[in-house]
Amino acid sequence: MSAETTTAAKEAASLRNNINEHSYRYYVLDAPSIPDNDYDRLFRRLQELEKNFPEVLVLESPTQRVGEKPQPHFDEVKHEVPMLSLGNAFDSEELGDFEKGIQKQLSDTSPLAYTCEPKLDGLAVSLLYENGKLVRAATRGDGSTGENITSNVRTIRSIPLALMGENIPRKLEVRGEVILPLQGFSQLNSKQIGKGEKVFANPRNAAAGSLRQLDSRITATRPLDMYCYAIGWMEGESLPATHGEVLAYLKSLGLKVNPEAAQVTGAEAVAEYCRAMAEKRSTLAYEIDGVVVKVDSLALQAKLGFVTRAPRWAIAYKFPAEEAVTQILDVDFQVGRTGAITPVARLKPVSVGGVTVSNATLHNLDEIKRLDVRINDFVVICRAGDVIPEVQRVVMAQRPDNATQIPQPKHCPVCNSELEYTEGEVIVRCDAGLACQAQLKEAIKHFVSRRALDVEGLGAKLVDQLVDEGLVNNVAELYHLNVEQLSKLERMGPKSAQNVKDALDKSKQTSLQRFLYSLGIREVGDATALALARNFGSLEKIQAANEEVLMAVDDIGPIVAQHIHHFFQQEENINVIHSLLDAGLEWDPVPVVAKSEGSQVAGKTFVITGTLALFTREQAKAKLQEQGAKVSGSVSKKTDYLVAGEEAGSKLSKAQSLGVEVIDEQQLQELLTLIQPHAKENL
Ligand code: IVH
């Protein structure tokens, strides 16, 4: 190295230290120590040096946060230590039960010491540091395998590319939550609106979308942040004795940890922390959805171990659903797939737990009566997670003078056909069927949906256009579309048009179950469709079956039988089915399966809860049903097995209290593989 280069290297190293220190103060401590201009000057000097002396450039230089070109895809990362999930508690009683359970296991009734921290609503991410340098970052994925998002994570300014401090371990895998703080979230959405691009529903989605960018230059524009909350594993340094000390150690390495974390003793003090955090929630700069409570002693954590995929030593206390008060500006009526008319309240936009809500469902006309809700009323809106917000009650004390009754619709808001009110029926329907454009659109969306014919790329907007333009008047006409017609639609180029056409062609090879489900017969979900397929074996036989014959199938009662029979009597439906078969839809013959062909699960009732890692819940359900098991939505004494995935909540506790056998996915897999399933095409 020439003398000149050595001098440059020294200066670059000192600049890097200096810049890192200032970034740390700015992004981690939130306490900037120099004006932006001075910082920029240091940064530009470093860039200049690195440009003139490329040999002094290092990957952990602060100038190297943003990559220069997009990646083709994300590689897989296998987590050395699985990234677990947490059980839930919803009130102080459940927090008390959590402590009692631990005390019982330890045969010691003394109150326990815990660390409580906000449960951040973002994405769990793992960072791997080798010799103090960030070498890999990964998403949690299914807990065992995630995606390599190193380039994106490098752009997050509060994450050090090189650790600081004295006790830098040889290897450190640290975990935490990547979030988009509320201010960044609203700025991002304003920008998105300005560019005519999609608005993110909440900060979590925005953070997820930002981390999923293949081009880290886009991620770099999103003001993401990360709080670290655990060590996955470590080599070369020994772990401290408590979680509180782990957080202090991570902080000493320059990683950002949540300043709200606190040590408390006993379940009551935990409940108090949770109450205080719920109060503080609206003043925090980011969204949280609860509190994570962890047994403080790492030795006790090790002793307590895990159940399924969650530790016994930690629990997530979840805040109750969010509420807010706002005014109803108007009420519209929407038409669903089966013609059901649903009233939707248009609201003066209001933020409910960080999400702006401007519509809320009123479910049905009876609900309007029950709530005695009127236009211009002030109402309490409630939103729980991803559930559609609903109007919970009217604030009667605030009823304004101009509160007006919501008129009962006499005609379908879309096709204008007269609505019939049947005595005793809660739901009012438009009877026009597919002649009503709203129902036609919904029928097509259902037909192409994932569990039906799964036509990729044919989204809701496209379906709306196809119907509005009169290109498709029934589901069979989808197969008559050509690339030219498709490419003329909004947001469609020749390439996406070709993709849709290909996806439609591909969907022609299907299964009888999917086909039956896709027809959208009332009350026929995928389970009933499968039962029909397996019991009758062919479409012709189902079409020919009368109500009595249909009712012989397990789980098909008189009402469902009537819907099925009625559907296949309608001339319009018969014609559409003919056209679909003419268009080339086909499936393999279905073996009619007797219930007990050697499967361990046949005839047994299962309930699946929590998030599964090996299959999706749909797949697990389909596999079970394929082997003659029943899959129910709620736990009762009749349940034979509860399959508990991650974040199993109330169903798990109910199963335990009823003495229902609880199995994990691995055990389910074993039960399923004791015989080989034969009707694979249904998956
Ligand atoms: S600890 C075994 N601490 O919650 C311990 N998790 O349901 C597992 N989360 O996927 C994680 N804030 O993404 C922990 N302070 C915090 C957290 C936190 C948010 C998320 C995390 C995890 C999920 C567990």
Side-chain angles (χ1 to χ4, degrees), residues 328 331 345 362 367-375 377 379 391 393-394 396 399 404-406:
I328 296 197
V331 171
L362 279 159
E367 183 77 353
I368 294 182
K369 271 195 223 141
R370 191 181 71 79
L371 295 171
D372 181 21
V373 58
R374 304 188 189 167
I375 295 168
D377 261 342
V379 289
V391 175
R393 59 178 189 278
V394 177
M396 288 298 176
R399 172 159 281 171
T404 37
Q405 294 277 1
I406 299 160

mmCIF file with all atom_site columns, all heavy atoms in Angstrom, residues 328 331 345 362 367-375 377 379 391 393-394 396 399 404-406:
data_model
loop_
_atom_site.group_PDB
_atom_site.id
_atom_site.type_symbol
_atom_site.label_atom_id
_atom_site.label_alt_id
_atom_site.label_comp_id
_atom_site.label_asym_id
_atom_site.label_entity_id
_atom_site.label_seq_id
_atom_site.pdbx_PDB_ins_code
_atom_site.Cartn_x
_atom_site.Cartn_y
_atom_site.Cartn_z
_atom_site.occupancy
_atom_site.B_iso_or_equiv
_atom_site.pdbx_formal_charge
_atom_site.auth_seq_id
_atom_site.auth_comp_id
_atom_site.auth_asym_id
_atom_site.auth_atom_id
_atom_site.pdbx_PDB_model_num
ATOM 1   N N   . ILE A 1 328 ? -71.650 9.123  11.090 1.00 0.00 ? 328 ILE A N   1
ATOM 2   C CA  . ILE A 1 328 ? -72.105 8.445  9.855  1.00 0.00 ? 328 ILE A CA  1
ATOM 3   C C   . ILE A 1 328 ? -72.545 9.507  8.864  1.00 0.00 ? 328 ILE A C   1
ATOM 4   O O   . ILE A 1 328 ? -73.445 10.305 9.158  1.00 0.00 ? 328 ILE A O   1
ATOM 5   C CB  . ILE A 1 328 ? -73.277 7.489  10.151 1.00 0.00 ? 328 ILE A CB  1
ATOM 6   C CG1 . ILE A 1 328 ? -72.799 6.380  11.080 1.00 0.00 ? 328 ILE A CG1 1
ATOM 7   C CG2 . ILE A 1 328 ? -73.853 6.951  8.855  1.00 0.00 ? 328 ILE A CG2 1
ATOM 8   C CD1 . ILE A 1 328 ? -73.704 5.186  11.134 1.00 0.00 ? 328 ILE A CD1 1
ATOM 9   N N   . VAL A 1 331 ? -75.417 5.995  4.336  1.00 0.00 ? 331 VAL A N   1
ATOM 10  C CA  . VAL A 1 331 ? -75.408 4.531  4.345  1.00 0.00 ? 331 VAL A CA  1
ATOM 11  C C   . VAL A 1 331 ? -75.689 4.050  2.923  1.00 0.00 ? 331 VAL A C   1
ATOM 12  O O   . VAL A 1 331 ? -76.650 4.501  2.289  1.00 0.00 ? 331 VAL A O   1
ATOM 13  C CB  . VAL A 1 331 ? -76.464 3.967  5.336  1.00 0.00 ? 331 VAL A CB  1
ATOM 14  C CG1 . VAL A 1 331 ? -76.594 2.460  5.178  1.00 0.00 ? 331 VAL A CG1 1
ATOM 15  C CG2 . VAL A 1 331 ? -76.075 4.320  6.765  1.00 0.00 ? 331 VAL A CG2 1
ATOM 16  N N   . ALA A 1 345 ? -71.914 1.664  6.299  1.00 0.00 ? 345 ALA A N   1
ATOM 17  C CA  . ALA A 1 345 ? -71.920 3.050  6.753  1.00 0.00 ? 345 ALA A CA  1
ATOM 18  C C   . ALA A 1 345 ? -70.704 3.768  6.178  1.00 0.00 ? 345 ALA A C   1
ATOM 19  O O   . ALA A 1 345 ? -69.581 3.284  6.283  1.00 0.00 ? 345 ALA A O   1
ATOM 20  C CB  . ALA A 1 345 ? -71.889 3.085  8.275  1.00 0.00 ? 345 ALA A CB  1
ATOM 21  N N   . LEU A 1 362 ? -72.689 -2.632 8.554  1.00 0.00 ? 362 LEU A N   1
ATOM 22  C CA  . LEU A 1 362 ? -73.835 -2.671 9.467  1.00 0.00 ? 362 LEU A CA  1
ATOM 23  C C   . LEU A 1 362 ? -74.509 -4.046 9.355  1.00 0.00 ? 362 LEU A C   1
ATOM 24  O O   . LEU A 1 362 ? -75.620 -4.247 9.848  1.00 0.00 ? 362 LEU A O   1
ATOM 25  C CB  . LEU A 1 362 ? -74.814 -1.559 9.122  1.00 0.00 ? 362 LEU A CB  1
ATOM 26  C CG  . LEU A 1 362 ? -74.460 -0.182 9.675  1.00 0.00 ? 362 LEU A CG  1
ATOM 27  C CD1 . LEU A 1 362 ? -75.156 0.932  8.913  1.00 0.00 ? 362 LEU A CD1 1
ATOM 28  C CD2 . LEU A 1 362 ? -74.844 -0.099 11.148 1.00 0.00 ? 362 LEU A CD2 1
ATOM 29  N N   . GLU A 1 367 ? -79.864 -5.289 11.880 1.00 0.00 ? 367 GLU A N   1
ATOM 30  C CA  . GLU A 1 367 ? -78.844 -4.659 12.707 1.00 0.00 ? 367 GLU A CA  1
ATOM 31  C C   . GLU A 1 367 ? -79.098 -3.147 12.797 1.00 0.00 ? 367 GLU A C   1
ATOM 32  O O   . GLU A 1 367 ? -78.893 -2.538 13.840 1.00 0.00 ? 367 GLU A O   1
ATOM 33  C CB  . GLU A 1 367 ? -77.469 -4.957 12.081 1.00 0.00 ? 367 GLU A CB  1
ATOM 34  C CG  . GLU A 1 367 ? -76.285 -4.428 12.847 1.00 0.00 ? 367 GLU A CG  1
ATOM 35  C CD  . GLU A 1 367 ? -75.923 -5.256 14.066 1.00 0.00 ? 367 GLU A CD  1
ATOM 36  O OE1 . GLU A 1 367 ? -76.675 -6.192 14.407 1.00 0.00 ? 367 GLU A OE1 1
ATOM 37  O OE2 . GLU A 1 367 ? -74.883 -4.951 14.683 1.00 0.00 ? 367 GLU A OE2 1
ATOM 38  N N   . ILE A 1 368 ? -79.557 -2.573 11.684 1.00 0.00 ? 368 ILE A N   1
ATOM 39  C CA  . ILE A 1 368 ? -79.871 -1.128 11.690 1.00 0.00 ? 368 ILE A CA  1
ATOM 40  C C   . ILE A 1 368 ? -80.966 -0.853 12.713 1.00 0.00 ? 368 ILE A C   1
ATOM 41  O O   . ILE A 1 368 ? -80.888 0.091  13.497 1.00 0.00 ? 368 ILE A O   1
ATOM 42  C CB  . ILE A 1 368 ? -80.322 -0.658 10.281 1.00 0.00 ? 368 ILE A CB  1
ATOM 43  C CG1 . ILE A 1 368 ? -79.147 -0.779 9.308  1.00 0.00 ? 368 ILE A CG1 1
ATOM 44  C CG2 . ILE A 1 368 ? -80.885 0.762  10.324 1.00 0.00 ? 368 ILE A CG2 1
ATOM 45  C CD1 . ILE A 1 368 ? -79.447 -0.309 7.905  1.00 0.00 ? 368 ILE A CD1 1
ATOM 46  N N   . LYS A 1 369 ? -81.968 -1.759 12.729 1.00 0.00 ? 369 LYS A N   1
ATOM 47  C CA  . LYS A 1 369 ? -83.077 -1.601 13.695 1.00 0.00 ? 369 LYS A CA  1
ATOM 48  C C   . LYS A 1 369 ? -82.570 -1.805 15.114 1.00 0.00 ? 369 LYS A C   1
ATOM 49  O O   . LYS A 1 369 ? -82.881 -1.048 16.020 1.00 0.00 ? 369 LYS A O   1
ATOM 50  C CB  . LYS A 1 369 ? -84.153 -2.640 13.397 1.00 0.00 ? 369 LYS A CB  1
ATOM 51  C CG  . LYS A 1 369 ? -85.160 -2.152 12.399 1.00 0.00 ? 369 LYS A CG  1
ATOM 52  C CD  . LYS A 1 369 ? -86.387 -3.056 12.437 1.00 0.00 ? 369 LYS A CD  1
ATOM 53  C CE  . LYS A 1 369 ? -86.840 -3.336 11.025 1.00 0.00 ? 369 LYS A CE  1
ATOM 54  N NZ  . LYS A 1 369 ? -87.286 -4.657 10.766 1.00 0.00 ? 369 LYS A NZ  1
ATOM 55  N N   . ARG A 1 370 ? -81.785 -2.869 15.279 1.00 0.00 ? 370 ARG A N   1
ATOM 56  C CA  . ARG A 1 370 ? -81.314 -3.223 16.614 1.00 0.00 ? 370 ARG A CA  1
ATOM 57  C C   . ARG A 1 370 ? -80.509 -2.072 17.241 1.00 0.00 ? 370 ARG A C   1
ATOM 58  O O   . ARG A 1 370 ? -80.663 -1.738 18.400 1.00 0.00 ? 370 ARG A O   1
ATOM 59  C CB  . ARG A 1 370 ? -80.448 -4.478 16.527 1.00 0.00 ? 370 ARG A CB  1
ATOM 60  C CG  . ARG A 1 370 ? -80.107 -5.099 17.884 1.00 0.00 ? 370 ARG A CG  1
ATOM 61  C CD  . ARG A 1 370 ? -79.226 -6.326 17.705 1.00 0.00 ? 370 ARG A CD  1
ATOM 62  N NE  . ARG A 1 370 ? -77.867 -5.978 17.284 1.00 0.00 ? 370 ARG A NE  1
ATOM 63  C CZ  . ARG A 1 370 ? -76.926 -5.530 18.085 1.00 0.00 ? 370 ARG A CZ  1
ATOM 64  N NH1 . ARG A 1 370 ? -77.168 -5.369 19.357 1.00 0.00 ? 370 ARG A NH1 1
ATOM 65  N NH2 . ARG A 1 370 ? -75.718 -5.223 17.618 1.00 0.00 ? 370 ARG A NH2 1
ATOM 66  N N   . LEU A 1 371 ? -79.647 -1.473 16.396 1.00 0.00 ? 371 LEU A N   1
ATOM 67  C CA  . LEU A 1 371 ? -78.794 -0.398 16.912 1.00 0.00 ? 371 LEU A CA  1
ATOM 68  C C   . LEU A 1 371 ? -79.538 0.935  16.954 1.00 0.00 ? 371 LEU A C   1
ATOM 69  O O   . LEU A 1 371 ? -79.075 1.883  17.574 1.00 0.00 ? 371 LEU A O   1
ATOM 70  C CB  . LEU A 1 371 ? -77.558 -0.234 16.027 1.00 0.00 ? 371 LEU A CB  1
ATOM 71  C CG  . LEU A 1 371 ? -76.562 -1.389 15.955 1.00 0.00 ? 371 LEU A CG  1
ATOM 72  C CD1 . LEU A 1 371 ? -75.535 -1.124 14.864 1.00 0.00 ? 371 LEU A CD1 1
ATOM 73  C CD2 . LEU A 1 371 ? -75.847 -1.546 17.293 1.00 0.00 ? 371 LEU A CD2 1
ATOM 74  N N   . ASP A 1 372 ? -80.665 1.003  16.237 1.00 0.00 ? 372 ASP A N   1
ATOM 75  C CA  . ASP A 1 372 ? -81.399 2.252  16.040 1.00 0.00 ? 372 ASP A CA  1
ATOM 76  C C   . ASP A 1 372 ? -80.431 3.331  15.530 1.00 0.00 ? 372 ASP A C   1
ATOM 77  O O   . ASP A 1 372 ? -80.323 4.416  16.078 1.00 0.00 ? 372 ASP A O   1
ATOM 78  C CB  . ASP A 1 372 ? -82.073 2.701  17.351 1.00 0.00 ? 372 ASP A CB  1
ATOM 79  C CG  . ASP A 1 372 ? -82.870 3.987  17.149 1.00 0.00 ? 372 ASP A CG  1
ATOM 80  O OD1 . ASP A 1 372 ? -83.227 4.272  15.984 1.00 0.00 ? 372 ASP A OD1 1
ATOM 81  O OD2 . ASP A 1 372 ? -83.107 4.722  18.125 1.00 0.00 ? 372 ASP A OD2 1
ATOM 82  N N   . VAL A 1 373 ? -79.728 2.981  14.471 1.00 0.00 ? 373 VAL A N   1
ATOM 83  C CA  . VAL A 1 373 ? -78.713 3.898  13.958 1.00 0.00 ? 373 VAL A CA  1
ATOM 84  C C   . VAL A 1 373 ? -79.303 4.757  12.838 1.00 0.00 ? 373 VAL A C   1
ATOM 85  O O   . VAL A 1 373 ? -80.144 4.287  12.064 1.00 0.00 ? 373 VAL A O   1
ATOM 86  C CB  . VAL A 1 373 ? -77.458 3.103  13.487 1.00 0.00 ? 373 VAL A CB  1
ATOM 87  C CG1 . VAL A 1 373 ? -77.790 2.097  12.438 1.00 0.00 ? 373 VAL A CG1 1
ATOM 88  C CG2 . VAL A 1 373 ? -76.369 4.025  13.002 1.00 0.00 ? 373 VAL A CG2 1
ATOM 89  N N   . ARG A 1 374 ? -78.910 5.995  12.809 1.00 0.00 ? 374 ARG A N   1
ATOM 90  C CA  . ARG A 1 374 ? -79.424 6.922  11.784 1.00 0.00 ? 374 ARG A CA  1
ATOM 91  C C   . ARG A 1 374 ? -78.273 7.673  11.122 1.00 0.00 ? 374 ARG A C   1
ATOM 92  O O   . ARG A 1 374 ? -77.194 7.800  11.715 1.00 0.00 ? 374 ARG A O   1
ATOM 93  C CB  . ARG A 1 374 ? -80.369 7.941  12.423 1.00 0.00 ? 374 ARG A CB  1
ATOM 94  C CG  . ARG A 1 374 ? -81.481 7.226  13.150 1.00 0.00 ? 374 ARG A CG  1
ATOM 95  C CD  . ARG A 1 374 ? -82.550 8.141  13.628 1.00 0.00 ? 374 ARG A CD  1
ATOM 96  N NE  . ARG A 1 374 ? -83.429 7.340  14.481 1.00 0.00 ? 374 ARG A NE  1
ATOM 97  C CZ  . ARG A 1 374 ? -84.348 7.836  15.271 1.00 0.00 ? 374 ARG A CZ  1
ATOM 98  N NH1 . ARG A 1 374 ? -84.528 9.136  15.310 1.00 0.00 ? 374 ARG A NH1 1
ATOM 99  N NH2 . ARG A 1 374 ? -85.088 7.054  16.006 1.00 0.00 ? 374 ARG A NH2 1
ATOM 100 N N   . ILE A 1 375 ? -78.567 8.196  9.942  1.00 0.00 ? 375 ILE A N   1
ATOM 101 C CA  . ILE A 1 375 ? -77.561 9.006  9.248  1.00 0.00 ? 375 ILE A CA  1
ATOM 102 C C   . ILE A 1 375 ? -77.303 10.258 10.102 1.00 0.00 ? 375 ILE A C   1
ATOM 103 O O   . ILE A 1 375 ? -78.250 10.817 10.667 1.00 0.00 ? 375 ILE A O   1
ATOM 104 C CB  . ILE A 1 375 ? -78.041 9.369  7.826  1.00 0.00 ? 375 ILE A CB  1
ATOM 105 C CG1 . ILE A 1 375 ? -78.142 8.070  7.006  1.00 0.00 ? 375 ILE A CG1 1
ATOM 106 C CG2 . ILE A 1 375 ? -77.088 10.354 7.141  1.00 0.00 ? 375 ILE A CG2 1
ATOM 107 C CD1 . ILE A 1 375 ? -78.851 8.195  5.703  1.00 0.00 ? 375 ILE A CD1 1
ATOM 108 N N   . ASP A 1 377 ? -75.689 10.207 12.859 1.00 0.00 ? 377 ASP A N   1
ATOM 109 C CA  . ASP A 1 377 ? -75.431 9.784  14.235 1.00 0.00 ? 377 ASP A CA  1
ATOM 110 C C   . ASP A 1 377 ? -73.929 9.682  14.495 1.00 0.00 ? 377 ASP A C   1
ATOM 111 O O   . ASP A 1 377 ? -73.146 9.394  13.577 1.00 0.00 ? 377 ASP A O   1
ATOM 112 C CB  . ASP A 1 377 ? -76.020 8.380  14.470 1.00 0.00 ? 377 ASP A CB  1
ATOM 113 C CG  . ASP A 1 377 ? -77.361 8.444  15.170 1.00 0.00 ? 377 ASP A CG  1
ATOM 114 O OD1 . ASP A 1 377 ? -77.659 9.499  15.769 1.00 0.00 ? 377 ASP A OD1 1
ATOM 115 O OD2 . ASP A 1 377 ? -78.097 7.436  15.102 1.00 0.00 ? 377 ASP A OD2 1
ATOM 116 N N   . VAL A 1 379 ? -71.231 7.348  16.170 1.00 0.00 ? 379 VAL A N   1
ATOM 117 C CA  . VAL A 1 379 ? -71.227 5.918  16.487 1.00 0.00 ? 379 VAL A CA  1
ATOM 118 C C   . VAL A 1 379 ? -69.853 5.465  16.950 1.00 0.00 ? 379 VAL A C   1
ATOM 119 O O   . VAL A 1 379 ? -68.839 6.104  16.646 1.00 0.00 ? 379 VAL A O   1
ATOM 120 C CB  . VAL A 1 379 ? -71.631 5.085  15.251 1.00 0.00 ? 379 VAL A CB  1
ATOM 121 C CG1 . VAL A 1 379 ? -73.102 5.249  14.929 1.00 0.00 ? 379 VAL A CG1 1
ATOM 122 C CG2 . VAL A 1 379 ? -70.756 5.424  14.051 1.00 0.00 ? 379 VAL A CG2 1
ATOM 123 N N   . VAL A 1 391 ? -69.895 -1.084 13.010 1.00 0.00 ? 391 VAL A N   1
ATOM 124 C CA  . VAL A 1 391 ? -70.524 -0.087 13.875 1.00 0.00 ? 391 VAL A CA  1
ATOM 125 C C   . VAL A 1 391 ? -70.985 -0.830 15.115 1.00 0.00 ? 391 VAL A C   1
ATOM 126 O O   . VAL A 1 391 ? -71.743 -1.787 15.020 1.00 0.00 ? 391 VAL A O   1
ATOM 127 C CB  . VAL A 1 391 ? -71.736 0.555  13.185 1.00 0.00 ? 391 VAL A CB  1
ATOM 128 C CG1 . VAL A 1 391 ? -72.458 1.500  14.139 1.00 0.00 ? 391 VAL A CG1 1
ATOM 129 C CG2 . VAL A 1 391 ? -71.291 1.294  11.934 1.00 0.00 ? 391 VAL A CG2 1
ATOM 130 N N   . ARG A 1 393 ? -72.112 0.705  18.368 1.00 0.00 ? 393 ARG A N   1
ATOM 131 C CA  . ARG A 1 393 ? -73.291 1.286  19.009 1.00 0.00 ? 393 ARG A CA  1
ATOM 132 C C   . ARG A 1 393 ? -73.372 2.777  18.694 1.00 0.00 ? 393 ARG A C   1
ATOM 133 O O   . ARG A 1 393 ? -72.402 3.386  18.240 1.00 0.00 ? 393 ARG A O   1
ATOM 134 C CB  . ARG A 1 393 ? -73.255 1.068  20.518 1.00 0.00 ? 393 ARG A CB  1
ATOM 135 C CG  . ARG A 1 393 ? -72.052 1.650  21.192 1.00 0.00 ? 393 ARG A CG  1
ATOM 136 C CD  . ARG A 1 393 ? -72.099 1.450  22.705 1.00 0.00 ? 393 ARG A CD  1
ATOM 137 N NE  . ARG A 1 393 ? -71.044 2.206  23.329 1.00 0.00 ? 393 ARG A NE  1
ATOM 138 C CZ  . ARG A 1 393 ? -69.777 1.793  23.429 1.00 0.00 ? 393 ARG A CZ  1
ATOM 139 N NH1 . ARG A 1 393 ? -69.414 0.620  22.936 1.00 0.00 ? 393 ARG A NH1 1
ATOM 140 N NH2 . ARG A 1 393 ? -68.866 2.548  24.004 1.00 0.00 ? 393 ARG A NH2 1
ATOM 141 N N   . VAL A 1 394 ? -74.556 3.312  18.934 1.00 0.00 ? 394 VAL A N   1
ATOM 142 C CA  . VAL A 1 394 ? -74.783 4.732  18.687 1.00 0.00 ? 394 VAL A CA  1
ATOM 143 C C   . VAL A 1 394 ? -74.519 5.471  19.995 1.00 0.00 ? 394 VAL A C   1
ATOM 144 O O   . VAL A 1 394 ? -74.871 4.989  21.066 1.00 0.00 ? 394 VAL A O   1
ATOM 145 C CB  . VAL A 1 394 ? -76.251 4.965  18.256 1.00 0.00 ? 394 VAL A CB  1
ATOM 146 C CG1 . VAL A 1 394 ? -76.541 6.443  18.069 1.00 0.00 ? 394 VAL A CG1 1
ATOM 147 C CG2 . VAL A 1 394 ? -76.548 4.194  16.981 1.00 0.00 ? 394 VAL A CG2 1
ATOM 148 N N   . MET A 1 396 ? -75.987 7.775  21.863 1.00 0.00 ? 396 MET A N   1
ATOM 149 C CA  . MET A 1 396 ? -77.312 8.415  21.881 1.00 0.00 ? 396 MET A CA  1
ATOM 150 C C   . MET A 1 396 ? -77.256 9.833  22.448 1.00 0.00 ? 396 MET A C   1
ATOM 151 O O   . MET A 1 396 ? -77.961 10.719 21.974 1.00 0.00 ? 396 MET A O   1
ATOM 152 C CB  . MET A 1 396 ? -78.301 7.577  22.693 1.00 0.00 ? 396 MET A CB  1
ATOM 153 C CG  . MET A 1 396 ? -78.716 6.304  21.982 1.00 0.00 ? 396 MET A CG  1
ATOM 154 S SD  . MET A 1 396 ? -79.566 6.665  20.439 1.00 0.00 ? 396 MET A SD  1
ATOM 155 C CE  . MET A 1 396 ? -79.788 4.994  19.811 1.00 0.00 ? 396 MET A CE  1
ATOM 156 N N   . ARG A 1 399 ? -76.846 12.362 19.799 1.00 0.00 ? 399 ARG A N   1
ATOM 157 C CA  . ARG A 1 399 ? -77.658 12.311 18.571 1.00 0.00 ? 399 ARG A CA  1
ATOM 158 C C   . ARG A 1 399 ? -77.983 13.729 18.104 1.00 0.00 ? 399 ARG A C   1
ATOM 159 O O   . ARG A 1 399 ? -78.583 14.524 18.844 1.00 0.00 ? 399 ARG A O   1
ATOM 160 C CB  . ARG A 1 399 ? -78.941 11.513 18.824 1.00 0.00 ? 399 ARG A CB  1
ATOM 161 C CG  . ARG A 1 399 ? -79.895 11.595 17.647 1.00 0.00 ? 399 ARG A CG  1
ATOM 162 C CD  . ARG A 1 399 ? -80.903 10.464 17.631 1.00 0.00 ? 399 ARG A CD  1
ATOM 163 N NE  . ARG A 1 399 ? -80.320 9.235  17.109 1.00 0.00 ? 399 ARG A NE  1
ATOM 164 C CZ  . ARG A 1 399 ? -80.929 8.057  17.148 1.00 0.00 ? 399 ARG A CZ  1
ATOM 165 N NH1 . ARG A 1 399 ? -82.114 7.932  17.697 1.00 0.00 ? 399 ARG A NH1 1
ATOM 166 N NH2 . ARG A 1 399 ? -80.336 6.995  16.651 1.00 0.00 ? 399 ARG A NH2 1
ATOM 167 N N   . THR A 1 404 ? -81.256 11.295 10.572 1.00 0.00 ? 404 THR A N   1
ATOM 168 C CA  . THR A 1 404 ? -82.389 10.844 9.745  1.00 0.00 ? 404 THR A CA  1
ATOM 169 C C   . THR A 1 404 ? -82.398 9.330  9.604  1.00 0.00 ? 404 THR A C   1
ATOM 170 O O   . THR A 1 404 ? -81.340 8.702  9.501  1.00 0.00 ? 404 THR A O   1
ATOM 171 C CB  . THR A 1 404 ? -82.331 11.454 8.316  1.00 0.00 ? 404 THR A CB  1
ATOM 172 O OG1 . THR A 1 404 ? -80.967 11.517 7.933  1.00 0.00 ? 404 THR A OG1 1
ATOM 173 C CG2 . THR A 1 404 ? -82.956 12.812 8.247  1.00 0.00 ? 404 THR A CG2 1
ATOM 174 N N   . GLN A 1 405 ? -83.599 8.782  9.552  1.00 0.00 ? 405 GLN A N   1
ATOM 175 C CA  . GLN A 1 405 ? -83.768 7.334  9.401  1.00 0.00 ? 405 GLN A CA  1
ATOM 176 C C   . GLN A 1 405 ? -83.114 6.859  8.106  1.00 0.00 ? 405 GLN A C   1
ATOM 177 O O   . GLN A 1 405 ? -83.141 7.557  7.095  1.00 0.00 ? 405 GLN A O   1
ATOM 178 C CB  . GLN A 1 405 ? -85.267 6.998  9.315  1.00 0.00 ? 405 GLN A CB  1
ATOM 179 C CG  . GLN A 1 405 ? -86.026 7.291  10.589 1.00 0.00 ? 405 GLN A CG  1
ATOM 180 C CD  . GLN A 1 405 ? -85.890 6.150  11.608 1.00 0.00 ? 405 GLN A CD  1
ATOM 181 O OE1 . GLN A 1 405 ? -85.210 5.156  11.350 1.00 0.00 ? 405 GLN A OE1 1
ATOM 182 N NE2 . GLN A 1 405 ? -86.516 6.320  12.750 1.00 0.00 ? 405 GLN A NE2 1
ATOM 183 N N   . ILE A 1 406 ? -82.596 5.664  8.157  1.00 0.00 ? 406 ILE A N   1
ATOM 184 C CA  . ILE A 1 406 ? -81.993 5.090  6.949  1.00 0.00 ? 406 ILE A CA  1
ATOM 185 C C   . ILE A 1 406 ? -83.118 4.442  6.142  1.00 0.00 ? 406 ILE A C   1
ATOM 186 O O   . ILE A 1 406 ? -83.803 3.554  6.651  1.00 0.00 ? 406 ILE A O   1
ATOM 187 C CB  . ILE A 1 406 ? -80.936 4.039  7.331  1.00 0.00 ? 406 ILE A CB  1
ATOM 188 C CG1 . ILE A 1 406 ? -79.821 4.706  8.145  1.00 0.00 ? 406 ILE A CG1 1
ATOM 189 C CG2 . ILE A 1 406 ? -80.382 3.341  6.093  1.00 0.00 ? 406 ILE A CG2 1
ATOM 190 C CD1 . ILE A 1 406 ? -78.992 3.747  8.960  1.00 0.00 ? 406 ILE A CD1 1
#
